[in-house]
Amino acid sequence: MTTHDVPDGLRVQGFRTRRSFGFAAMSQQATIAAALVLIADGTLGARFPGSLLVTVPLTLALAGLTAARRHGMPALAYYWAVFAWRRADRAGATSYRRVLLPQPYALDLPGVGASSVLVAAHDPTTDRPVGVVHDRSTGAMTVTTLLAPGGTLMAPTSAVRAGVRTWSSVLDEMSIDEQILGAQVTIQITPGAGEALADDVRARRRPDAPRLALDTIDELVRTTPRATASVTQWMSVSVDPTATANPPVDLAEQVAEALRVVDTLDMSGTGADIVRRATPDDLRRLVRCAFDPGVHDAREEQFAELSWGECGPVAADDLQEEYVHDGSVSVSWVLREMPRRPIPYSVLLPLLSPGRFQRRVTLSYRVLDPREGEAVLEREISNAEQRAAATAQVRGRATWSQKADRQRAERAAHQAASGAQVVDWTLRVTTTARRAADLPGARQELERAVKATKGIRMRPAFGAQAATFMAGLPIGYQPLVK
């Protein structure tokens, strides 16, 4: 489906990046810091005039790095991330070896997943086992729901609009529930080697079928062994079970409270078909297959025998632009900027199309409560007005981009006043190659998929490849949650 095939009613807009008011292209915090440093330079220069030859050029250089941009971020933040990664690399903090770690840390996942632990629970409403991931550092509980692969490209316009409205209602429920910290929806596409297709055809093949049909299907299985792909979808909701009038005391009560909160979210009518709550074996499979895509078609019994720490890698290295784990190499990109023009609801289709390498696309949400959302939008309008006024004083008029940005901020405030919710969200994409030699091909495939979206701008997660990789897994790691 091209962008011309989508009706105007199925186009979305209103995406906006938060921007604070500051001098030049600096943020408000950077401007205040630069002003304080300049005052300190002047105070010191009043007593020691020779110090101005060193302090003023250094301050101006740091301010210039803050105002400049590199890959869509302040250049100072980029170079600081590079410096921090190199310092961690020299200290050995970017390498993980499970066999060398003492107990009990050998039972943990690496990096940001070290504080997570898998809790096996029983859901009395469905009489099924449920896997709940408990974050021991924050106390948050994460419940994952498996979704059925599907789509709305062939659905009528009315059905798509109904799904969007229903999803908006789900976001409304998240905004008024203080126990819900955040949520994320992940779609993982794993290319198959043909075994799944051959097994499915073999089980459904009828000997009494017409010879032409049998020959056609046999040739299809034989000539397209790599034309299959396994699509797995899930939604993870992070809950704070203690954010209630009567907080639960023990772990069992906290798990029960988390399941109760997640059950209040009604996903019916959103266009996503719910399969079931993820079991402990499902979570082990999702995590293990992310680190080692080669075990995707393994039997369920093999995952049931794994401990939570064994689902992670035996060895991993967090490089500046790659993440090496168990012989595989992953590259993660993060959202830089959304298009300012209206875009079709199918804009992510190129990222969700199967390719040669495993790909995981994650949408993370944090719905702001109505008061916080209103305060954020009012602050954004004030910042937009101040930037336009400052530019008008220097150049005689504000730029057209500043005027358009102010209009978008006012439009968002009007929508929020009419009942819409303000959502902090981001997009992450991870692609995994099973061999280091295939990394250039995986990177090129990801770049082409991003360009095919025709407007979405993304960049590599510099110095945070491991954390971005883990953020796409159902382990409860939510960077948007404060």
Side-chain angles (χ1 to χ4, degrees):
M1 175 178 290
T2 64
T3 56
H4 302 287
D5 300 327
V6 179
D8 292 338
L10 295 182
R11 295 180 181 272
V12 293
Q13 59 181 334
F15 306 105
R16 189 177 178 275
T17 304
R18 287 193 186 186
R19 296 182 177 90
S20 60
F21 170 71
F23 179 75
M26 294 190 298
S27 63
Q28 184 178 11
Q29 293 79 6
T31 302
I32 295 176
L36 293 177
V37 172
L38 286 175
I39 293 175
D41 293 344
T43 304
L44 183 62
R47 299 186 59 182
F48 307 99
S51 64
L52 295 176
L53 298 176
V54 178
T55 58
V56 172
L58 181 60
T59 301
L60 295 178
L62 292 177
L65 287 176
T66 305
R69 284 288 185 263
R70 183 75 185 273
H71 300 289
M73 67 180 80
L76 183 61
Y78 170 78
Y79 291 117
W80 176 257
V82 174
F83 170 76
W85 177 86
R86 291 181 177 177
R87 183 180 58 179
D89 184 57
R90 285 195 299 267
T94 59
S95 297
Y96 172 81
R97 300 295 182 268
R98 175 156 56 93
V99 295
L100 300 180
L101 295 178
Q103 297 287 347
Y105 303 105
L107 302 178
D108 295 334
L109 294 177
V112 296
S115 61
S116 65
V117 61
L118 179 61
V119 179
H122 180 77
D123 190 356
T125 59
T126 59
D127 197 25
R128 291 176 177 268
V130 178
V132 180
V133 178
H134 177 217
D135 192 328
R136 292 169 291 185
S137 62
T138 63
M141 300 281 182
T142 301
V143 181
T144 301
T145 303
L146 299 183
L147 307 176
T152 56
L153 294 179
M154 302 300 294
T157 302
S158 58
V160 178
R161 288 178 176 175
V164 173
R165 287 194 298 267
T166 306
W167 179 246
S168 177
S169 301
V170 175
L171 296 179
D172 291 342
E173 296 177 14
M174 292 183 184
S175 66
I176 60 178
D177 196 332
E178 297 180 354
Q179 293 183 274
I180 298 180
L181 302 177
Q184 63 182 25
V185 178
T186 302
I187 302 178
Q188 180 174 281
I189 305 100
T190 304
E195 289 85 353
L197 177 62
D199 294 342
D200 182 69
V201 171
R202 189 180 301 109
R204 302 168 61 182
R205 194 174 188 273
R206 294 185 56 178
D208 57 345
R211 174 52 55 183
L212 179 60
L214 293 176
D215 295 341
T216 302
I217 196 64
D218 291 342
E219 183 179 0
L220 175 65
V221 174
R222 183 177 63 257
T223 58
T224 58
R226 297 185 179 275
T228 60
S230 175
V231 181
T232 308
Q233 302 178 87
W234 65 86
M235 177 178 179
S236 299
V237 180
S238 296
V239 178
D240 183 5
T242 61
T244 181
N246 298 316
V249 179
D250 57 3
L251 182 62
E253 293 180 355
Q254 294 177 3
V255 172
E257 180 67 15
L259 292 175
R260 184 198 64 80
V261 173
V262 175
D263 286 339
T264 60
L265 296 177
D266 186 10
M267 296 290 295
S268 59
T270 60
D273 297 330
I274 297 177
V275 178
R276 64 175 184 274
R277 300 285 184 221
T279 64
D281 292 347
D282 292 330
L283 295 177
R284 295 189 188 100
R285 173 186 284 273
L286 292 177
V287 175
R288 184 63 206 146
C289 292
F291 287 101
D292 186 6
V295 300
H296 183 270
D297 296 326
R299 300 189 306 271
E300 294 292 339
E301 295 78 7
Q302 298 182 10
F303 297 101
E305 299 171 355
L306 296 177
S307 65
W308 185 239
E310 291 174 337
C311 297
V314 175
D317 293 301
D318 184 12
L319 306 182
Q320 188 173 352
E321 296 189 27
E322 298 98 23
Y323 183 45
V324 184
H325 47 87
D326 286 351
S328 301
V329 185
S330 295
V331 177
S332 298
W333 284 27
V334 295
L335 180 64
R336 175 177 170 179
E337 186 180 8
M338 286 294 292
R340 301 178 182 179
R341 55 179 173 79
I343 57 177
Y345 74 101
S346 57
V347 65
L348 295 180
L349 185 59
L351 290 174
L352 302 177
S353 300
R356 294 174 52 203
F357 306 95
Q358 184 188 73
R359 188 182 303 160
R360 189 166 52 255
V361 181
T362 302
L363 283 168
S364 298
Y365 300 91
R366 186 178 76 90
V367 186
L368 281 61
D369 63 77
R371 291 185 178 180
E372 182 182 2
E374 181 180 358
V376 168
L377 292 177
E378 291 295 335
R379 185 165 59 249
E380 290 297 307
I381 293 176
S382 298
N383 293 336
E385 291 177 348
Q386 291 173 1
R387 284 193 301 270
T391 304
Q393 291 178 358
V394 176
R395 302 178 52 181
R397 65 174 180 83
T399 62
W400 287 108
S401 61
Q402 290 176 338
K403 295 179 181 179
D405 183 69
R406 176 183 174 180
Q407 293 176 356
R408 286 194 298 270
E410 293 176 347
R411 189 182 305 113
H414 176 73
Q415 294 173 352
S418 302
Q421 299 301 326
V422 182
V423 180
D424 276 345
W425 71 279
T426 188
L427 173 68
R428 304 180 186 88
V429 181
T430 299
T431 183
T432 301
R434 299 186 183 183
R435 299 181 305 167
D438 296 333
L439 179 61
R443 196 191 303 272
Q444 185 182 42
E445 184 178 87
L446 178 58
E447 292 176 353
R448 289 177 176 175
V450 173
K451 292 180 180 179
T453 60
K454 300 185 185 305
I456 296 181
R457 303 179 67 183
M458 305 189 71
R459 62 169 176 82
F462 298 106
Q465 287 290 318
T468 307
F469 179 94
M470 300 292 284
L473 302 181
I475 63 172
Y477 176 60
Q478 294 277 6
L480 293 180
V481 177
K482 299 179 181 179

